[in-house]
């Protein structure tokens, strides 16, 4: 029972770490590159616009998709590792 | 064949398809009616979620909003970033919980009928607000393409939704939404591909937008900047000064999206927890097809419109009104384009109305263009064949119907399952609950039709309220319910009331109490806003207040009972989910 419990706790904290890491990237690309840090990136041009503009209108959406599929892949692996999959 | 006949053919054929699907996918049990039997694969569910989410506004109006320039990028990031939150913070755990509705989880997790009732009220407010916009969107689409009155359009739309939603329930809605997604994405991307080819030589709009403009050899966005600057507008890519407001607005849209009940219930239809995760990813892939095309359409259509008005360049005299192209004449008839020759020179001067061009003999902006034109007239501007226009008509109607159906299901399941089955009469039989679900659906459609025909004057502001409610109440409540064992019933309810009250009052102060025009306490201008935060962006602040109050109150009072803590424990682990079950 104790074993089962610590196993579950390890699974949950691994999930929380994964979510935290993903959300840092999520915020960095949208709120960071797309909005707040945009003036700092204005020197980097992507076809007629600056990098911040690209992130606000295209880049962040692609990163969001990648993040969800990365999270799915890691979680499916965690589910199996901890024997918690369906 | 006339354009009218082509449009009728496309819209008529799409209706036959939707009703055929509904007859094939009839719901035979409450489980099929509420969650499509829990057997929808992640890819079809992703498509259905995308159609569910992308409304008439996304299809018709978003490119117009984006065409204002960089500042409205918030809509692009805000309406997509919420799916990351759904995939990681809500969908898998709510799927594991395995019941039919959002108030089901709230009621069990916070062991209180009061909490369930508050959730039902928040759900009804959000969904009914939204459905008004869908019905009027469908009416507008009918009026523009099928030469019927907007009111007749709303009746036709509600009759079609009635047939497939009442018969098919979630099962019928899911498979029609898959078909509707295909129709709407083809309708959106085909004209975009041709416009991109004409302007940049690149068939992929997302790449063409950052490519070179064929006629001038300059990068497209720089050409656009130059043209709009010469007409007194702000640069297209110009940065904004109020970054705090832009951040909070984007955040409100993201957490509002993640808290919308009609989106969340789509994740109850997949077989497994792992499928809920991938389903969110697929949903975003399908949504991104439209949302990454929209900024390309926005910039290209705006440049196209300006070069139509100034064929020899903005430094040269504008187009003569008598030589305007056919598509301008067509859309003048609908009132979406208006021309008034203020300086009587027979030419169309179109520029920023607040700029002064009297040195060029201009007496004011002469052309008023409704921004919906950027999508609706796209095929005509690009000289595409008539069937593409028919496709746009079918696509706009598909976008409105698919979202309306999803919202109506969320409303009817809240009434038949949460109010009737759980609170009023727990002993109701399966057969009678199905009947109750169908009757609530029918009533919900009639209410939506009535509100679509007689939209409250404040319909536009109410959408802000819907996102505010979802962001400040539903999202935080669900997230805390999953991620904290310690949040108890009294904490959750106080947090929700505090977050909701703050958000709603802030909106009322600037937009009028209960949206009655003229009753606003302060003028709705940036210098009156608290720290420059607009009422549209306040939902995210309301969410922070909700979290803070909920934790403070919960830690001062007793922890939730053991069985509730066990429930929190169980939703965190996928094992043993099984299909969605009734009580």
């Amino acid at each position: 029972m104790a074993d089962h419990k610590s196993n579950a706790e390890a699974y949950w904290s691994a999930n929380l770490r994964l979510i935290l890491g993903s959300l840092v990237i999520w915020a960095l690309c949208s709120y960071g590159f797309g909005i707040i840090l945009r003036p700092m990136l204005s020197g980097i041009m992507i076809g007629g616009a600056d990098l911040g503009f690209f992130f606000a209108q295209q880049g962040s959406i692609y990163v969001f998709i990648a993040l969800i599929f990365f999270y799915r892949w890691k979680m499916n692996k965690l589910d199996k590792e901890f024997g918690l999959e369906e | 064949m006339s354009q009218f006949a082509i449009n009728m053919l496309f819209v008529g054929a799409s209706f036959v398809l939707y009703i055929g699907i509904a007859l094939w996918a009839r719901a035979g049990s409450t489980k099929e009616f509420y969650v499509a039997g829990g057997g929808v694969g992640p890819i079809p569910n992703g498509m259905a979620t995308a159609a569910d989410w992308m409304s008439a506004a996304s299809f018709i109006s978003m490119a117009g909003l984006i065409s204002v320039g960089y500042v409205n990028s918030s809509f692009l990031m805000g309406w997509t970033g919420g799916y990351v939150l759904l995939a990681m913070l809500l969908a898998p755990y709510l799927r594991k919980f395995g019941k039919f509705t959002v108030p089901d989880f709230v009621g069990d997790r916070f062991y209180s009928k009061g909490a369930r009732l508050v959730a039902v009220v928040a759900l009804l407010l959000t969904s009914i607000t939204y459905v008004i916009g869908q019905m009027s969107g469908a009416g507008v689409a009918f009026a523009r393409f099928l030469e019927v009155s907007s009111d007749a359009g709303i009746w036709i739309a509600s009759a079609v939704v009635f047939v497939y939603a009442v018969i098919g329930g979630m099962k019928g809605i899911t498979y029609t939404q898959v078909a509707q997604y295909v129709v709407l994405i083809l309708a959106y991307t085909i004209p975009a591909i041709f416009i991109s080819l004409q302007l940049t030589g690149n068939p992929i709009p997302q790449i063409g937008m950052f490519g070179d403009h064929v006629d001038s050899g300059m990068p497209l966005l720089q050409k656009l900047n130059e043209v709009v600057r010469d007409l007194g507008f702000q640069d297209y890519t110009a940065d904004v000064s109020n970054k705090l407001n832009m951040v909070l607005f984007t955040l409100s849209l993201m957490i509002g999206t993640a808290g919308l009940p009609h989106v969340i219930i789509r994740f109850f239809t997949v077989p497994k927890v792992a499928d809920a995760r991938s389903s969110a990813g697929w949903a975003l892939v399908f949504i991104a097809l439209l949302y990454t095309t929209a900024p390309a359409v926005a910039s290209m259509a705006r440049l196209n419109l300006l070069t139509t008005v100034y064929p020899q360049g903005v430094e040269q005299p504008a187009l003569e009104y008598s030589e305007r192209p056919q598509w301008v004449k067509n859309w003048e008839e609908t009132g979406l384009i208006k021309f008034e020759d203020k300086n009587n020179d027979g030419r169309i001067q179109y520029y920023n109305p607040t700029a002064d061009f009297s040195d060029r003999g201009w007496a004011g902006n002469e052309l008023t263009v409704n921004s919906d034109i950027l999508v609706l007239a796209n095929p005509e501007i690009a000289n595409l064949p008539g069937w593409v226009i028919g496709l746009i008509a079918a696509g706009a109607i598909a976008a409105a119907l698919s979202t309306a159906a999803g919202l109506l299901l969320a409303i009817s399941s809240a009434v038949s399952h949460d109010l009737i089955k759980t609170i009023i009469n727990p002993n109701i039989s399966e057969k009678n609950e199905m009947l109750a679900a169908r009757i609530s659906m029918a009533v919900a459609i009639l209410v939506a039709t009535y509100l679509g025909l007689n939209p409250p004057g404040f319909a536009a502001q109410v959408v802000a309220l819907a996102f505010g409610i979802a962001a400040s109440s539903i999202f935080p409540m669900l997230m805390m319910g999953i991620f904290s064992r310690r949040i108890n019933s009294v904490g959750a309810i106080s947090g929700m009331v505090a977050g909701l009250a703050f958000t709603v009052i802030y909106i009322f102060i600037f937009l009028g109490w209960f949206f009655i025009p003229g009753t606003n306490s302060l003028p709705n201008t940036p210098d009156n806003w608290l720290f420059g935060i607009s009422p549209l962006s306040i939902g995210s602040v309301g969410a922070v207040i909700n979290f803070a109050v909920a934790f403070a109150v919960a830690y001062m009072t007793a922890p939730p009972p053991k069985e509730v803590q066990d429930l929190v424990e169980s939703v965190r682990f996928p094992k043993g989910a099984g299909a969605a079950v009734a009580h």
Side-chain angles (χ1 to χ4, degrees):
Chain A
M1 188 60 202
D3 233 27
H4 173 71
K5 201 170 175 197
S6 64
N7 191 37
E9 267 166 21
Y11 169 83
W12 186 244
S13 53
N15 180 24
L16 291 182
R17 275 198 303 277
L18 189 55
I19 292 175
L20 194 69
S22 307
L23 290 187
V24 167
I25 300 173
W26 166 82
L28 185 69
C29 292
S30 50
Y31 302 104
F33 299 158
I35 304 177
I36 299 164
L37 304 175
R38 187 180 171 209
M40 282 182 231
L41 302 172
S42 61
I44 309 168
M45 297 298 279
I46 285 197
D50 54 284
L51 190 65
F53 181 86
F54 170 81
F55 264 99
Q57 300 227 327
Q58 298 278 319
S60 53
I61 301 178
Y62 302 129
V63 174
F64 296 156
I65 294 175
L67 278 175
I68 298 181
F69 282 104
F70 172 74
Y71 177 76
R72 175 193 76 154
W73 173 68
K74 288 290 273 187
M75 281 310 285
N76 289 354
K77 244 174 59 173
L78 272 182
D79 287 353
K80 281 201 189 71
E81 244 169 64
F82 285 87
L84 289 166
E85 84 273 26
E86 287 170 74
Chain B
M1 200 162 24
S2 74
Q3 187 59 51
F4 173 70
I6 295 173
N7 292 355
M8 283 293 270
L9 191 72
F10 269 78
V11 175
S14 68
F15 282 3
V16 171
L17 176 68
Y18 306 152
I19 291 171
I21 292 172
L23 291 173
W24 164 73
R26 271 190 315 275
S29 66
T30 51
K31 197 175 152 194
E32 288 189 342
F33 196 91
Y34 293 136
V35 295
V40 183
I43 295 180
N45 191 50
M47 275 193 195
T49 310
D52 201 50
W53 168 240
M54 292 191 287
S55 58
S58 286
F59 188 92
I60 301 174
S61 306
M62 200 177 60
L65 284 172
I66 304 300
S67 75
V68 171
Y70 163 79
V71 60
N72 278 348
S73 307
S74 289
F75 290 104
L76 297 167
M77 292 184 283
W79 282 340
T80 52
Y83 283 84
V84 177
L85 302 178
L86 268 170
M88 297 178 193
L89 303 178
L90 300 182
Y93 320 104
L94 293 175
R95 173 62 196 84
K96 169 67 199 294
F97 175 66
K99 287 192 185 167
F100 292 157
T101 68
V102 172
D104 258 343
F105 176 76
V106 175
D108 285 11
R109 168 62 185 83
F110 299 113
Y111 47 101
S112 144
K113 277 191 180 166
R116 182 190 284 259
L117 207 60
V118 177
V120 170
V121 171
L123 184 154
L124 290 179
L125 279 176
T126 317
S127 306
I128 290 173
T129 305
Y130 242 84
V131 91
I132 301 173
Q134 301 314 312
M135 294 318 265
S136 30
V140 168
F142 274 102
R144 284 173 197 166
F145 292 105
L146 299 183
E147 297 170 28
V148 295
S149 75
S150 172
D151 285 5
I154 291 177
W155 280 112
I156 301 170
S158 73
V160 174
V161 173
F162 188 92
V163 173
Y164 75 75
V166 173
I167 298 177
M170 184 59 127
K171 196 174 166 197
I173 289 172
T174 301
Y175 294 105
T176 28
Q177 280 174 337
V178 172
Q180 283 159 338
Y181 175 77
V182 175
V183 172
L184 80 87
I185 201 67
L186 286 175
Y188 204 86
T189 47
I190 289 175
I193 288 170
F194 281 98
I195 290 220
S196 180
L197 264 176
Q198 289 169 359
L199 257 62
T200 67
N202 194 316
I204 301 169
Q206 287 85 339
I207 298 175
M209 177 187 176
F210 292 93
D212 286 345
H213 181 228
V214 170
D215 289 347
S216 65
M218 290 167 69
L220 180 97
L221 289 168
Q222 279 177 16
K223 175 72 188 167
L224 181 56
N225 271 342
E226 188 184 279
V227 171
V228 295
R229 198 185 307 136
D230 287 346
L231 294 171
F233 296 100
Q234 200 184 27
D235 270 21
Y236 191 77
T237 59
D239 208 357
V240 292
S241 49
N242 190 346
K243 301 243 173 198
L244 173 69
N245 188 53
M246 187 167 172
V247 165
L248 291 178
F249 182 46
T250 310
L251 187 61
S252 297
L253 294 177
M254 285 192 190
I255 60 183
T257 301
L260 286 176
H262 71 285
V263 176
I264 297 174
I265 54 173
R266 287 242 44 99
F267 294 97
F268 298 168
T269 65
V270 294
K272 293 195 297 183
V273 173
D275 297 329
R277 295 178 193 133
S278 38
S279 190
W282 284 112
L284 189 54
V285 167
F286 295 124
I287 290 167
L289 269 177
L290 191 144
Y291 275 51
T292 56
T293 306
V297 169
S299 55
M300 291 175 194
R302 185 154 177 213
L303 185 59
N304 243 343
L305 181 68
L306 292 169
T307 41
T308 304
V309 177
Y310 298 96
Q312 284 117 40
V314 284
E315 306 298 334
Q316 299 299 315
L319 182 74
E320 288 201 37
Y321 181 65
S322 55
E323 288 175 11
R324 67 197 186 282
Q326 185 59 40
W327 65 265
V328 175
K329 293 179 192 159
N330 294 347
W331 290 94
E332 271 178 322
E333 282 168 27
T334 64
L336 292 187
I337 296 182
K338 290 195 195 88
F339 171 70
E340 183 197 351
D341 195 2
K342 290 181 181 156
N343 62 353
N344 293 312
D345 69 346
R347 292 177 184 275
I348 306 172
Q349 278 95 35
Y350 174 48
Y351 59 97
N352 183 356
T354 61
D356 180 24
F357 281 95
S358 47
D359 55 325
R360 290 183 69 174
W362 295 356
N365 173 43
E366 299 179 340
L367 194 71
T368 321
V369 182
N370 183 308
S371 58
D372 291 355
I373 281 293
L374 295 191
V375 169
L376 296 174
N378 233 348
E380 291 156 274
I381 299 174
N383 282 317
L384 298 181
W387 63 267
V388 182
I389 301 169
L391 197 56
I392 289 262
I397 293 167
L401 294 185
S402 57
T403 307
L407 288 160
L408 289 165
L409 189 96
I411 294 169
S412 75
S413 61
V415 171
S416 65
H417 187 72
D418 294 302
L419 285 183
I420 298 178
K421 158 99 183 173
T422 313
I423 297 180
I424 298 173
N425 178 13
N427 299 321
I428 192 168
S429 71
E430 156 99 10
K431 203 171 150 228
N432 285 338
E433 192 188 343
M434 274 286 280
L435 187 65
R438 289 201 156 108
I439 293 171
S440 335
M441 176 76 86
V443 173
I445 293 172
L446 286 177
V447 172
T449 309
Y450 175 80
L451 291 172
L453 291 170
N454 306 288
F458 47 78
Q461 286 97 312
V462 177
V463 173
L465 185 67
F467 268 91
I469 292 172
S472 66
S473 65
I474 303 176
F475 176 80
M477 177 169 55
L478 294 176
M479 197 189 149
M480 286 186 291
I482 296 160
F483 285 85
S484 165
R485 276 193 212 98
R486 189 61 180 75
I487 291 291
N488 55 19
S489 173
V490 54
I493 294 175
S494 341
M496 198 155 60
V497 170
L500 203 54
F502 171 82
T503 306
V504 171
I505 290 173
Y506 193 84
I507 293 176
F508 283 169
I509 288 176
F510 294 104
L511 297 181
W513 291 87
F514 302 96
F515 298 115
I516 299 163
T519 60
N520 50 324
S521 316
L522 290 168
N524 189 21
T525 52
D527 43 320
N528 286 309
W529 298 340
L530 189 67
F531 303 118
I533 302 169
S534 103
L536 299 176
S537 317
I538 204 68
S540 45
V541 182
V544 173
I545 291 177
N546 183 336
F547 281 118
V549 170
F551 275 102
V553 172
Y555 278 92
M556 285 187 293
T557 46
K562 175 84 173 60
E563 65 270 20
V564 170
Q565 299 196 29
D566 290 346
L567 168 73
V568 177
E569 196 73 4
S570 85
V571 299
R572 293 179 175 182
F573 308 113
K575 197 168 187 160
V581 289
H583 292 280

